[in-house]
Amino acid sequence: AQTVTQSQPEMSVQEAETVTLSCTYDTSESDYYLFWYKQPPSRQMILVIRQEAYKQQNATENRFSVNFQKAAKSFSLKISDSQLGDAAMYFCAYRRGLSGNTPLVFGKGTRLSVIA
Amino acid sequence: EAGVAQSPRYKIIEKRQSVAFWCNPISGHATLYWYQQILGQGPKLLIQFQNNGVVDDSQLPKDRFSAERLKGVDSTLKIQPAKLEDSAVYLCASSFEVGANVLTFGAGSRLTVL
């Protein structure tokens, strides 16, 4: 079974600084997707960024970027120029396969605090 | 585009009582998921529907949980009888059958069992 591990239960960052959240996963599949979701206190899960396993180039979305190391099964999220609105729970998630629909497998999450 | 709608947002019940949660996915999304998120943990899949058929319910505690998706649109998740350990947020998500593989989540229903 696939597993996702987030080893940092809590992180904090100063406003305008950069922070990196760690994620490792275990799978025997060759085709899959990886995601970072943000969950603010409102509980709404919001997609932050997505990475296809077959792509070597790391995904970026504005201030958010990932460091995808397929051989090491590592998928970290870097948040640059942190803002107060970035404070939330961040979940790393794995999804098997490239076609059809398979469920997301989530890590336990990292709570990010942003200090003004 | 309207999002995934869920109700109620909050529910408090006594143990051994029953409760039902409702989800309306994004129009056109064939796949619907129910996740259980216990405080301090990541969401765990309970059941996945493809249209009105069940794809995966291997982690659904079938002695007390049931779910249906009549007509392949709305879905209802029921718990009867509830236990203390069922206290959690129940998240509904939906996605297209093929393509981008991105799940869109609702705001969740928070259940407290006393």
Side-chain angles (χ1 to χ4, degrees), chain A residues 36-62:
Chain A
W36 279 97
Y37 275 85
K38 170 185 177 182
Q39 188 179 43
S42 67
R43 301 199 306 260
Q44 186 85 44
M45 281 281 200
I46 302 165
L47 178 66
V48 174
I49 199 164
R50 176 184 66 176
Q51 175 80 42
E52 293 87 344
Y54 62 85
K55 289 187 177 180
Q56 293 186 340
Q57 186 174 5
N58 289 323
T60 61
E61 287 286 342
N62 301 313

Side-chain angles (χ1 to χ4, degrees), chain A residues 83-97:
Chain A
Q83 301 174 359
L84 294 177
D86 294 334
M89 284 291 292
Y90 285 82
F91 291 96
C92 179
Y94 163 97
R95 191 173 194 184
R96 173 176 55 85

Side-chain angles (χ1 to χ4, degrees), chain A residues 43-44 50 95 100-101 104, chain B residues 31 33 96-97 100-101 105:
Chain A
R43 301 199 306 260
Q44 186 85 44
R50 176 184 66 176
R95 191 173 194 184
N101 283 299
L104 289 172
Chain B
T31 308
Y33 308 81
F96 282 113
E97 183 174 356
N101 288 316
F105 284 82

